[in-house]
Amino acid sequence: MPELERAARAVPYQRLPDTLFPGVEAWIRRDDLLDPLISGNKAYKLLFNLVEARRQGAEKIITCGGAWSNHIHALAAAGRRFGFATVGIIRGERPAQLSAMLQDAERFGMELRFVSRDLYRRRGESEFIEQVGIEMNRTYFVPEGGANLAGARGAQFLGRIITETAPTPFDQVWLACGTGLTLSGVQAGLAVIPAVGVPVLKAGRSIYAQAGHWLRSLGVAVKHEPLCEGYECGGYARINPELSRFLHHFKQTSSIPLDPVYTAKLVFALYSESRIGKITIQSKVLLLHSGGLQGRRGLLPADNDIRDTLGQII
Ligand SMILES: *Cc1c(COP(=O)(O)O)cnc(C)c1O
């Protein structure tokens, strides 16, 4: 997958307006622009999984996720691009109308298999694929969200790329966390630059546990920073009035699109922390745009930009 590696080195960094982050020199790395379809942190988590699938001679890649999973979307697009058949095991019954994300996945050629929530809960067990009724011949399995060691190595690769391509010496790199895998991989790759995770759901304890686990698995002796908690805004995929006001304000001062589930909370956290003086004055902070823009169709139905772009590409 050398083309994804090349693209990672070419991802632009942008300086954000001073008025948004008083006293802080804020930048954003636009991994949403990594590739038109396989973008953000999910692309990095897939990178070494794709390499490994190819090495093993697999023809088909199987994974699982929910109806709005950025990971399902990225794998379906990657399968089409790099010549793998793909199967997505989706939590819950097949709805009458597929989500926009799953419609894309089908258009990319992914076979969708809907399973009951009871069966889905057993996705970590070794017989899971068999129980879903999928033949395991010449197949490669990627766990939900790309959460395996190859996924962590991909995030580590991203951290390393940041140290090599940073336009200025950053004091901190901030990123949104769901499970914490990307945080630990990026921290491992950054080595001495601290990575600060902003949880998008109230799951600090599990993120610390996951981050510790992945840092140990990668065999690196770096420690993780305290999380920047308190910007969950009501929980996963929820938006509260403060976040919504901030998004409106951000849209007026910057032309950078954010997704409401992850990156909106990330940028809101730095905005709020810099306003209450919690960040060392004059520090250089890099925000990581981890993608996810295709998911905006689930939360902001009026936003048709992405639908149009996808429509032109597919
Ligand atoms: C999945 C995702 C994350 C969170 O990644 P974790 O490794 O689970 O912490 C962040 N941003 C976007 C856009 C994502 O899709």
Side-chain angles (χ1 to χ4, degrees), residues 77-101:
R80 165 144 166 180
R81 176 86 54 83
F82 300 113
F84 295 101
T86 52
V87 182
I89 303 172
I90 312 297
R91 181 182 60 229
E93 268 165 44
R94 188 181 183 102
Q97 165 92 41
L98 285 182
S99 70
M101 299 278 265

Side-chain angles (χ1 to χ4, degrees), residues 65-81:
W68 286 98
S69 158
N70 290 328
H71 164 69
I72 290 277
H73 198 269
L75 181 68
R80 165 144 166 180
R81 176 86 54 83

Side-chain angles (χ1 to χ4, degrees), residues 1-11 33-38 43-44 47 50-51 54 77-78 80-83 157:
M1 319 305 142
E3 68 173 89
L4 276 183
E5 299 187 23
R6 260 196 309 278
R9 287 180 203 280
V11 164
L33 301 175
L34 176 69
D35 177 276
L37 293 174
I38 317 166
Y44 291 93
L47 182 60
L50 296 167
V51 170
R54 176 88 10 108
R80 165 144 166 180
R81 176 86 54 83
F82 300 113
F157 168 75

